[in-house]
Amino acid sequence: MRLQFHQRVLIIADTAMKQCVELAERAAQTDASVLLVGESGSGKELVARYIHEKSQRHERPFISVNCAAIPEGLMEAELFG
């Protein structure tokens, strides 16, 4: 599988990653909020940028949030009002 986005080309051979990309494409077609979780360096921001670029909101700003920098007690209030 070959993906081109955000001035990058990704070549994906792993079945699990292909499934992740397919899920991201489905999420991009909805108006739902998406929360990506995973270990540091696992590519969460890359997937988030992919979803944003493929969504109807692609012309609006993309804002990345480092949730580890937000104290646990403030997380819900900061992200969801």
Side-chain angles (χ1 to χ4, degrees):
M1 175 182 264
R2 184 180 177 99
L3 301 174
Q4 185 164 355
F5 79 102
H6 199 64
Q7 301 174 345
R8 298 179 183 177
V9 174
L10 299 177
I11 299 172
I12 301 168
D14 183 68
T15 303
M17 190 60 189
K18 286 180 183 179
Q19 292 173 343
C20 179
V21 170
E22 290 169 0
L23 182 59
E25 288 175 350
R26 288 198 317 251
Q29 295 173 10
T30 72
D31 196 32
S33 297
V34 177
L35 175 65
L36 300 171
V37 295
E39 295 181 22
S40 179
S42 62
K44 296 178 297 292
E45 187 170 343
L46 184 67
V47 173
R49 287 184 184 278
Y50 181 78
I51 292 170
H52 177 73
E53 188 169 304
K54 299 298 179 183
S55 76
Q56 292 182 12
R57 301 176 189 174
H58 68 274
E59 292 181 3
R60 297 177 69 189
F62 173 84
I63 300 170
S64 177
V65 178
N66 179 0
C67 293
I70 301 173
E72 187 175 337
L74 294 176
M75 181 73 70
E76 184 176 342
E78 290 296 319
L79 293 178
F80 307 108

